[in-house]
Amino acid sequence: MATETQDVAGQASEAASAPGMPQLDFSTFGNQIFWLLVTLVVIYFILSRIALPRIANVLAERQGTITNDIAAADELKAKAAEAEQAYEKALADARAEAQRIVAEAKAEIQADLDEATRHADAEIAAKAAESEKAIEEIRASALENVRTVAKDTAQEIVAVFGTKKADAKTIEAAVETRMKG
Amino acid sequence: MASDTQGAENAGGGLEFHPMDQFIIQPLFGGDVVHWYTPTNVTLWMALSILAIFALLVLGTSRRAIVPSRSQSIGELAYGFVYKMVEDVAGKDGLKYFPYIMTLFMFIVTANFLGLIPTAFTTTSHFAVTGVMALMVFFFVTILGFVKNGSAFLGLFWVSSAPLALRPILAIIELISYFVRPVSHSIRLGGNMMAGHAVIKVFAGFAGLAVISPLSVVAITAMYGLEVLVCFIQAYVFTILTCVYLKDALHPSH
């Protein structure tokens, strides 16, 4: 019992010496402030001398690397676009060349064809003219034959019907007139 | 020693709440008197903060890799986070003060998270610590404002966009709010850290009753999750407010 009361008394005295809130125990303020200032100064020197410049360097370096990489990527992209353009151009050129060759061949063939056609036409025309001439000749000779036959026949007929001798000249004239008519 | 065993018996017997005991400052190597130079648990946990920052930002980035490792990623993330914050809030000319702000942010965030380790001591739960940091920011920003802008810095309190009759009243309000800044700045951080840890301790105290203990465990887990958020958010808030004050000093016109 005695120790208990003594203990309670001890606790009470302890409570009295340290008021309800240790935060308001001004006897420790000097100690806290001293150590706080020491701490802050140490942290400040660690940060400003070592940590912050180092981190700033790392960040700047990283930023530089990223910028460089992006620039390199852009360059490669431009190169790729250029290559694609060149490829497209080559393709278009080849296509145009092919078309030109096709057109040329077509024109050549057309020219040959035209030449042959013209040649054939001329030949046909010549042949036709020749045939016509022959026909004309045949027709002329036929007419002559008809005239001779008509004269002869007319003379004979006149000789049979008439007593007087038929005048050859008159008959000829009459046949001519008839043939014209 | 006798009182120690007695205390343990007491704790086993019933509910005992000592939510604030975790904040008591004790000398590391025995003794009762805390001189200003005495190595205490404050010293230990602040040193651990330094080690954590060193490990993350110096050892973690030691390979200077273009493609970062995990620790280097986190270091770069922290750097980019604070750098962007300073640039966005305080402007390009605020970047000159980036190392100071980074120092504050890294100290607060590591101290907060180290404080989450069970049985750890949370240095940022003490108003002496947060208050000194807030006052440093306050004086730095005020002096910087006068050095950079001369008496034009007083334009911060003279709201030229308000009607003329209102301006003196607004000036008084602005002046008061300006001087309240370090108070709110420090108590916001210290109070948040202290309250969270104290609440966890209270829930832990309830675990002494077997009936409540499962609920207590759930509550502690939930609070711990919340505290993880609070640890980061309070460091962020402290830092961004510093940036806002810095912006006021660099560009005092509204």
Side-chain angles (χ1 to χ4, degrees):
Chain A
M1 251 354 218
T3 51
E4 203 166 305
T5 47
Q6 194 186 337
D7 185 39
V8 167
Q11 274 185 353
S13 71
E14 203 178 71
S17 71
M21 280 169 66
Q23 278 86 353
L24 299 180
D25 181 2
F26 293 103
S27 66
T28 63
F29 270 33
N31 181 272
Q32 292 191 61
I33 291 168
F34 169 68
W35 289 115
L36 172 69
L37 293 181
V38 169
T39 306
L40 288 181
V41 167
V42 171
I43 294 175
Y44 175 75
F45 276 103
I46 290 176
L47 289 186
S48 63
R49 289 293 138 89
I50 313 173
L52 298 186
R54 181 187 291 176
I55 294 175
N57 265 344
V58 168
L59 291 180
E61 203 175 311
R62 180 174 311 147
Q63 196 56 49
T65 311
I66 289 171
T67 312
N68 282 347
D69 284 0
I70 287 174
D74 275 346
E75 203 172 298
L76 289 179
K77 207 175 174 185
K79 265 186 192 161
E82 213 169 88
E84 197 185 343
Q85 225 163 19
Y87 165 75
E88 293 282 346
K89 193 170 172 295
L91 202 64
D93 280 357
R95 208 169 267 158
E97 178 74 10
Q99 256 162 8
R100 198 183 58 74
I101 290 169
V102 167
E104 226 164 61
K106 220 182 232 173
E108 215 165 277
I109 290 166
Q110 192 64 47
D112 282 359
L113 202 63
D114 284 353
E115 178 65 32
T117 311
R118 210 172 325 113
H119 198 71
D121 277 356
E123 226 160 73
I124 289 165
K127 281 254 168 73
E130 215 167 275
S131 308
E132 210 149 293
K133 211 169 152 194
I135 289 167
E136 203 63 40
E137 258 166 37
I138 291 166
R139 183 180 281 165
S141 70
L143 266 179
E144 200 52 43
N145 288 348
V146 166
R147 189 174 289 134
T148 320
V149 170
K151 271 182 205 165
D152 288 352
T153 317
Q155 223 160 6
E156 288 304 308
I157 290 169
V158 169
V160 170
F161 282 113
T163 44
K164 61 173 178 175
K165 269 258 214 183
D167 184 2
K169 246 190 182 153
T170 318
I171 289 169
E172 201 169 315
V175 170
E176 281 297 319
T177 340
R178 281 282 174 186
M179 293 254 312
K180 269 178 191 160
Chain B
M1 282 321 254
S3 70
D4 271 7
T5 52
Q6 194 69 43
E9 271 172 36
N10 272 350
L15 289 183
E16 288 240 340
F17 295 110
H18 299 294
M20 304 312 270
D21 280 6
Q22 58 179 320
F23 301 121
I24 293 174
I25 289 162
Q26 293 145 336
L28 269 186
F29 307 110
D32 292 326
V33 193
V34 177
H35 296 292
W36 62 268
Y37 52 84
T38 315
T40 55
N41 44 1
V42 178
T43 319
L44 171 68
W45 287 97
M46 283 187 179
L48 289 176
S49 281
I50 296 175
L51 279 182
I53 293 170
F54 188 82
L56 180 67
L57 293 183
V58 177
L59 300 183
T61 61
S62 58
R63 284 197 299 142
R64 296 177 173 83
I66 293 288
V67 178
S69 59
R70 283 180 211 173
S71 54
Q72 192 183 330
S73 279
I74 297 171
E76 286 171 8
L77 218 62
Y79 179 97
F81 179 71
V82 178
Y83 191 88
K84 195 156 163 30
M85 197 196 305
V86 176
E87 193 178 19
D88 287 352
V89 177
K92 286 263 182 218
D93 42 355
L95 286 177
K96 223 190 308 176
Y97 311 101
F98 165 64
Y100 303 106
I101 294 172
M102 186 74 179
T103 303
L104 282 180
F105 176 77
M106 288 314 294
F107 170 69
I108 295 170
V109 87
T110 47
N112 285 358
F113 277 111
L114 284 174
L116 277 183
I117 299 169
T119 72
F121 176 80
T122 319
T123 50
T124 41
S125 65
H126 275 265
F127 298 131
V129 171
T130 61
V132 166
M133 287 192 295
L135 282 174
M136 279 164 65
V137 170
F138 178 78
F139 283 115
F140 180 77
V141 156
T142 308
I143 293 167
L144 183 75
F146 278 112
V147 168
K148 285 261 169 187
N149 306 290
S151 56
F153 183 59
L154 293 172
L156 186 63
F157 308 109
W158 197 249
V159 189
S160 49
S161 57
L164 190 61
L166 276 179
R167 281 184 212 171
I169 303 165
L170 283 177
I172 294 169
I173 295 173
E174 290 278 338
L175 203 65
I176 293 171
S177 80
Y178 189 81
F179 282 101
V180 170
R181 271 177 181 183
V183 179
S184 62
H185 203 187
S186 59
I187 292 192
R188 184 180 298 112
L189 173 61
N192 264 291
M193 299 319 296
M194 181 184 74
H197 286 75
V199 166
I200 288 181
K201 257 299 202 284
V202 170
F203 281 133
F206 276 117
L209 289 181
V211 188
I212 312 178
S213 58
L215 192 70
S216 181
V217 169
V218 171
I220 290 174
T221 313
M223 271 312 290
Y224 197 92
L226 187 67
E227 280 303 292
V228 170
L229 279 181
V230 167
C231 279
F232 180 74
I233 290 169
Q234 286 308 318
Y236 173 66
V237 167
F238 193 97
T239 317
I240 204 162
L241 280 175
T242 306
C243 291
V244 169
Y245 300 159
L246 184 64
K247 190 211 78 180
D248 281 348
L250 295 172
H251 316 283
S253 54
H254 274 274

